[in-house]
């Protein structure tokens, strides 16, 4: 069975896995993100190809706006300095002689969940990843909705939730990621003058009215976002992933209560099954199957 290299590039770490078509991870390692990023990435890839020459192709999921046909990073924030404009596919294919495909990291999570996880067997799926920012992935008739002239298709976290609201790194005010991401939750806590971590916020909400007020605001905003996405896509399932979803057991029931009156039609909403593995599995699927 063919094996491929799946790579998940984040602001603090790069995870790499050797994976087969059944989703089995044969080898897995994590290295800290270093800059300049492309040269470092190529060095790591060449090292793994020396160890695993049987690797047939390379799939990469990365933060930022990606033009998938060219495998070019159109724009990345300061999380990955110097990454904007990088011709990842062309450069890495020339360096390795292997087929390379590149996608946005949240799109890779959506692929992994649809193929192996919570949405297995479904064709129309929307995935939100609540991490440092708010990522989004859309699977439409079994294919990723991505690319666009500016690489911004499916950037669900940059839909406006509160016009003229909190300033977003994209330069606009009021994007959804400024209200439901991990960064947004920490901002809410700071502005409220509370001395708790995000995890403690959720843990204390049942007994602390100040914490509950923030959790209610977070879940209400997430419900608004999901409702708007249903109006746009009428998906079979909504998947919530990312680091914030790891505490979902503490806020999920409240979120569903907030969501129910906002829905146009019944909607299955699930927590992502893959947390740590979703990025590399989805990246591997870029080259294990035709998109």
């Amino acid at each position: 069975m063919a094996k491929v290299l799946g790579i998940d590039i984040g602001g603090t770490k790069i995870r790499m896995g050797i994976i087969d078509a059944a989703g089995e991870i044969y080898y897995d390692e994590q290295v800290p993100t270093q800059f300049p990023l492309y040269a470092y990435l190529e060095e790591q890839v060449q090292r793994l190809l020396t160890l695993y020459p049987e690797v047939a192709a390379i799939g990469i999921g990365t933060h930022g706006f990606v033009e998938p046909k060219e495998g070019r990073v159109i724009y990345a924030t300061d999380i990955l300095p110097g990454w904007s404009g990088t011709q990842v596919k062309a450069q890495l294919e020339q360096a390795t002689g292997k087929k390379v495909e590149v996608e946005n990291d949240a799109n890779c999570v959506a692929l992994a969940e649809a193929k192996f996880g919570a949405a297995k067997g479904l064709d129309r799926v929307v995935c939100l990843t609540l991490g440092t920012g708010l990522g989004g992935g859309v699977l439409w008739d079994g294919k990723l909705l991505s690319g666009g002239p500016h690489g911004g298709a499916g950037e669900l976290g940059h839909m406006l939730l509160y016009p003229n609201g909190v300033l977003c790194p994209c330069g606009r005010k009021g994007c959804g990621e400024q209200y439901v991401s991990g960064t947004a939750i920490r901002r809410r806590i700071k502005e409220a003058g509370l001395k708790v971590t995000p995890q403690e916020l959720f843990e204390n909400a049942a007994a602390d009215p100040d914490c509950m007020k923030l959790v209610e605001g977070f879940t209400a905003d997430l419900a608004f976002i999901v409702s708007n996405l249903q109006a746009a896509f009428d998906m079979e399932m909504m998947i919530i992933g990312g680091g914030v979803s790891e505490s979902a057991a503490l806020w999920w029931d409240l979120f569903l209560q907030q969501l129910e009156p906002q829905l146009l039609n019944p909607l299955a909403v699930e927590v992502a099954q893959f947390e740590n593995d979703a990025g590399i599995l989805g990246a591997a699927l870029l080259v294990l199957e035709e998109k």
Side-chain angles (χ1 to χ4, degrees):
M1 185 178 291
K3 295 185 179 67
V4 301
L5 173 60
I7 302 175
D8 183 19
I9 300 175
T12 60
K13 60 183 181 296
I14 298 173
R15 191 169 172 206
M16 303 176 289
I18 309 295
I19 298 162
D20 70 13
E24 183 175 346
I25 300 172
Y26 286 84
Y27 176 81
D28 177 16
E29 80 167 89
Q30 184 174 291
V31 296
T33 306
Q34 296 183 20
F35 304 95
L37 180 52
Y38 176 77
Y40 178 67
L41 173 66
E42 183 179 311
E43 176 186 327
Q44 298 302 315
V45 169
Q46 295 284 28
R47 176 177 60 83
L48 283 185
L49 291 180
T50 300
L51 294 173
Y52 296 91
E54 69 271 25
V55 165
I58 302 162
I60 299 173
T62 177
H63 159 80
F65 290 15
V66 176
E67 202 299 302
K69 290 184 180 179
E70 295 181 7
R72 174 169 58 97
V73 179
I74 293 180
Y75 171 74
T77 67
D78 289 342
I79 291 174
L80 297 177
W83 195 228
S84 296
T86 304
Q87 298 275 1
V88 183
K89 175 181 171 71
Q91 290 179 244
L92 201 56
E93 283 185 341
Q94 183 175 11
T96 64
K98 307 285 187 181
K99 177 183 178 182
V100 177
E101 298 291 346
V102 185
E103 258 292 359
N104 170 267
D105 50 2
N107 285 342
C108 290
V109 172
L111 271 183
E113 291 293 335
K115 176 66 176 180
F116 300 120
K120 186 175 182 179
L122 301 182
D123 290 328
R124 293 195 176 186
V125 179
V126 177
C127 178
L128 287 176
T129 54
L130 284 62
T132 303
L134 176 62
V138 179
L139 201 71
W140 190 257
D141 291 343
K143 297 183 181 298
L144 281 176
L145 178 66
S146 65
H150 309 101
E155 285 292 334
L156 307 182
H158 292 289
M159 298 192 310
L160 292 182
L161 182 61
Y162 291 106
N164 300 312
V166 177
L167 180 65
C168 182
C170 76
R172 302 184 306 157
K173 293 181 178 180
C175 291
E177 79 166 34
Q178 296 308 305
Y179 297 90
V180 301
S181 64
T183 301
I185 293 170
R186 286 188 289 273
R187 174 184 60 77
R188 289 176 186 263
I189 292 170
K190 182 178 180 181
E191 290 177 351
L194 301 181
K195 304 297 182 182
V196 295
T197 66
Q199 179 69 21
E200 290 168 345
L201 176 76
F202 294 122
E203 291 174 348
N204 297 348
D208 186 330
D210 291 331
C211 289
M212 176 57 77
K213 183 178 179 180
L214 295 193
V215 175
E216 286 177 341
F218 156 72
T219 54
D221 286 345
L222 182 58
F224 290 144
I225 290 171
V226 171
S227 175
N228 286 334
L229 292 171
Q230 185 191 42
F233 297 109
D234 191 23
M235 55 280 195
E236 297 169 276
M237 180 178 287
M238 164 64 70
I239 296 172
I240 308 292
V244 178
S245 74
E246 295 175 9
S247 62
L250 299 171
W251 52 263
W252 194 255
D253 288 345
L254 179 59
F255 161 61
L256 293 181
Q257 291 171 21
Q258 304 261 27
L259 177 62
E260 183 61 31
Q262 308 292 338
L263 292 175
L264 291 167
N265 297 291
L267 175 65
V269 186
E270 300 288 345
V271 178
Q273 287 188 14
F274 297 110
E275 290 299 340
N276 295 327
D277 294 342
I280 57 172
L281 285 171
L285 284 169
L286 297 173
V287 287
L288 282 170
E289 298 182 342
E290 290 187 4
K291 292 185 289 180

